[in-house]
Amino acid sequence: MTEAELTKEEPKIEAITNILKDELNLTSHQIDREKEKRKFVPQKPTEEEINKIKAADPERFDESVIKGLNYLFDNQFMAAKTIFEEKADHDPLNALALSSMAFLKAVMTSADQDQTMALNALNETYDIANTQLEAAKKSSKVSGYFSGYYNYLKKKGDSPTDTTTTEAGTSTAARPTSSYPPNSALRAHVLKAECCLQIAILQLLQESVMGYVKCGLNLRRAYSSYSYVWSEYQKMGADHLAFMDSDTISGVQFGIGSVHLVLSALPAKILKAISAFGWQPNKKYGFVLLNECRQSKRVRSSMATIMLLAYYTAAISFAPQIMSDVYKKTAMDILLDAQKYHPNSAVFLFFAGRMARNGLDLPLSTQSFLYAAEISRGEWAEVAVTNSCRFEMAMNHMLTGNWSHAAATFEYLYEQQYWSTAFCRYAQGACYEMMGERTEAILIFAQVPQLVVKKLGGRLSDIDSYVLRKITMFQKSGYQNLDFYAPILEFMCIWNVFPYVSPELLTEALNRIQHGLAAIQKCENLEQEQRMMELAPDTPMPDYFDERACLLVVKAAILNVLGRPEDTTLDINWILDHKESILQDTWTVPYALWEAGVSCWSLDLKNKSRQVWEMALDHGKHDFEHRLAVRLNLALTHTEELGFTEPQPTEPVDDKKRFSVALDQPTTNNSIASSS
């Protein structure tokens, strides 16, 4: 390229000086006087000069954030908080680090006040990042040119006078004139996007229709910024480090990877309702980007580790019989790698407890939770970590049949107002019921309705709505029909934790279910005998469809875990055949279909599992609908990845649309059918 062409492409120094005059309102005389003054008089750098230095070498200014994050994951929460607070009012990265602490606390506690605090902090951080973005746009005419030009030449090792031609036939000096946005603007876009991402996750955890809508809107906002930065990053090619710092790259890897994972976990019905992205989430791509971010050991590496561990542990716990073999080893490898750098981190110990449970080592699981709670004492996150660990320990007590310890732990959580006080009280009473202390259980159950609080736009949370309805059913008979229920076993079935229970305890639980079914049968027989003694009696027909359906779903779940899937057919079919009569516990129908799919899976009829699970998706407006939908989505996605995509048969029979999925067993009754 000729010197004339170069002169034409590059901005003239006079033009740049004129821009400086316009921006700073300085005359030529004033500029000269300022230069002379700075030669002799030490001056404190202005905020603008500091920003220019930070733009040239931002990673050096990010070291304090990385130091604070190391404190955070070494349980020195207050030290981390102090570091972040020093610059949080004007630096969006420090503000985001501080907001992320509030975000983690809100996720662990699920408390309204913690969620409100985290949302406020993230919105404030969004405003700070947006302010930085506007400032970067204003000064991009000057700083963008100098920063890009200097960094490019520094990367190439060229001098300003070097105009050699590359192999592609273009001048290396021509690259800085490309329209790359300044690094500060790209960084601000990434920080804004992460604020939206964390806000979306908090709204997703609310499990409300409005929460899902807001989640979708914030994911769109996040992905818009992330995709813009990612496209610029790809344009830069191998020279990206000359124009974008590694922490910004780390942030965009974390963000895009997280958006793909969150969206891939959403049920199809919800994703269709809230998204207008025009693209399909790619789970494998999300894993790749998050692992690259994790291994870079930069500013968002720890959050990438948490995102991966959260996804893997949640996926396994939602569907342990299906997903455990898929993710368990990968999750353990990531956890062990994280603990090399932070061996005593309360956060990673919490995940260690979850992974130990997934590995059926309940003593180690409880020990991990207990240690995590102990080492967080006296720190900023003491209450959040302790209560989260206590809840998981209560789950472990239930899994080992230690009902007295479970009841005591739920009482402690009730006093701490953790998650749902109504549920904690309900679970405490249910544990007393399992111990045979019915009077104490009834006294505790009677307190539950006063603890239910309307929230989330005037509606009840799923868990509060569930326990209130169960207590109402208990009270309908004056607590005389408690033998027809198994409250804590029903909860364990819904939460899908039977795969972690020993065969001996499962057999005891099965006997408890059979006792309940026998009690219902006995009551029905007595009522039928009374009707035989009177013509057209006033007493209604026996109606225990809801009670029997709940017990049969629990029974099917236990039989599946005990390795007896062929014994579940009659029980599941009873629920499906009587679904029109099940008016209160409508959740039993889709959950029965879930267990039907698990039975097929155990019998190596995976394509039929997919067909039954797709039938379950047709049911809605029941307790824990979204929880089951996530579980179904994980299982269905996995079956499709394995190649089981045979279409579902839907042939009408006897003027009714009936679906039949045969288990291919020798007996003629082995079919799973549903009427609609």
Side-chain angles (χ1 to χ4, degrees), residues 472-635:
T472 302
M473 294 177 70
F474 299 163
Q475 292 175 340
K476 186 177 179 180
S477 65
Y479 295 100
Q480 297 301 306
N481 291 342
L482 276 179
D483 280 339
F484 301 171
Y485 301 91
I488 205 65
L489 296 179
E490 188 176 308
F491 167 75
M492 293 170 70
C493 172
I494 293 171
W495 245 243
N496 208 7
V497 296
F498 283 139
Y500 309 123
V501 181
S502 68
E504 296 77 14
L505 289 175
L506 284 175
T507 302
E508 292 181 14
L510 187 60
N511 292 335
R512 173 68 179 82
I513 296 299
Q514 296 287 33
H515 172 77
L517 292 170
I520 293 175
Q521 185 66 51
K522 181 179 179 181
C523 186
E524 286 178 336
N525 291 340
L526 289 174
E527 292 183 13
Q528 289 287 8
E529 290 176 5
Q530 292 176 358
R531 294 179 66 83
M532 290 175 65
M533 300 174 65
E534 183 180 353
L535 186 62
D538 295 332
T539 56
M541 287 284 290
D543 180 7
Y544 300 108
F545 294 101
D546 290 279
E547 292 86 344
R548 180 177 273 114
C550 291
L551 293 176
L552 289 178
V553 171
V554 177
K555 180 183 175 183
I558 294 173
L559 289 173
N560 272 328
V561 177
L562 286 174
R564 296 165 55 187
E566 65 281 356
D567 294 337
T568 66
T569 309
L570 291 176
D571 297 326
I572 292 173
N573 276 341
W574 186 94
I575 297 171
L576 301 179
D577 290 340
H578 295 86
K579 66 178 183 179
E580 301 298 336
S581 301
I582 301 171
L583 304 179
Q584 296 294 324
D585 288 295
T586 54
W587 64 269
T588 56
V589 178
Y591 275 78
L593 288 168
W594 165 260
E595 294 300 334
V598 174
S599 298
C600 294
W601 191 273
S602 300
L603 294 168
D604 201 24
L605 304 172
K606 294 182 173 58
N607 201 64
K608 294 179 180 178
S609 293
R610 187 185 65 81
Q611 294 169 11
V612 176
W613 287 332
E614 286 179 345
M615 290 159 56
L617 286 175
D618 293 334
H619 295 268
K621 297 183 179 180
H622 55 79
D623 291 329
F624 308 111
E625 174 188 356
H626 300 304
R627 184 176 186 85
L628 179 61
V630 171
R631 185 193 303 181
L632 289 167
N633 182 53
L634 289 167

Side-chain angles (χ1 to χ4, degrees), residues 248-270:
T248 300
I249 297 171
S250 170
V252 75
Q253 287 173 336
F254 167 74
I256 293 181
S258 298
V259 171
H260 277 290
L261 276 198
V262 171
L263 286 173
S264 67
L266 290 178
K269 186 187 299 184
I270 297 172

Side-chain angles (χ1 to χ4, degrees), residues 305-348:
T305 300
I306 289 177
M307 180 61 72
L308 286 168
L309 289 174
Y311 181 88
Y312 288 136
T313 54
I316 294 172
S317 64
F318 268 96
Q321 292 146 295
I322 312 299
M323 307 304 301
S324 183
D325 293 339
V326 181
Y327 290 140
K328 187 165 63 176
K329 184 181 183 304
T330 304
M332 185 58 69
D333 290 342
I334 291 175
L335 177 61
L336 291 175
D337 182 68
Q339 289 186 313
K340 288 180 184 178
Y341 301 94
H342 306 285
N344 296 315
S345 169
V347 175
F348 294 136

Side-chain angles (χ1 to χ4, degrees), residues 1 6 9-10 145 149 152-153 158-164 166 170-178:
M1 183 174 290
L6 283 174
E9 288 186 10
E10 296 181 7
Y145 173 81
Y149 188 72
Y152 177 76
L153 293 180
D158 294 334
S159 66
T161 58
D162 191 347
T163 58
T164 57
T166 64
T170 58
S171 170
T172 59
R175 286 293 302 277
T177 62
S178 300

Side-chain angles (χ1 to χ4, degrees), residues 89-147:
D89 59 340
H90 62 274
D91 178 51
L93 182 59
N94 280 272
L96 178 61
L98 190 62
S99 299
S100 296
M101 292 181 67
F103 166 79
L104 292 173
K105 184 178 181 182
V107 170
M108 297 185 78
T109 65
S110 299
D112 288 344
Q113 63 270 23
D114 289 333
Q115 288 211 358
T116 300
M117 182 182 297
L119 290 172
N120 290 339
L122 289 167
N123 280 309
E124 184 67 26
T125 302
Y126 180 92
D127 291 339
I128 294 173
N130 198 48
T131 300
Q132 185 187 65
L133 179 60
E134 294 301 320
K137 289 179 179 178
K138 183 178 179 181
S139 61
S140 62
K141 294 179 181 179
V142 182
S143 61
Y145 173 81
F146 278 118
S147 177

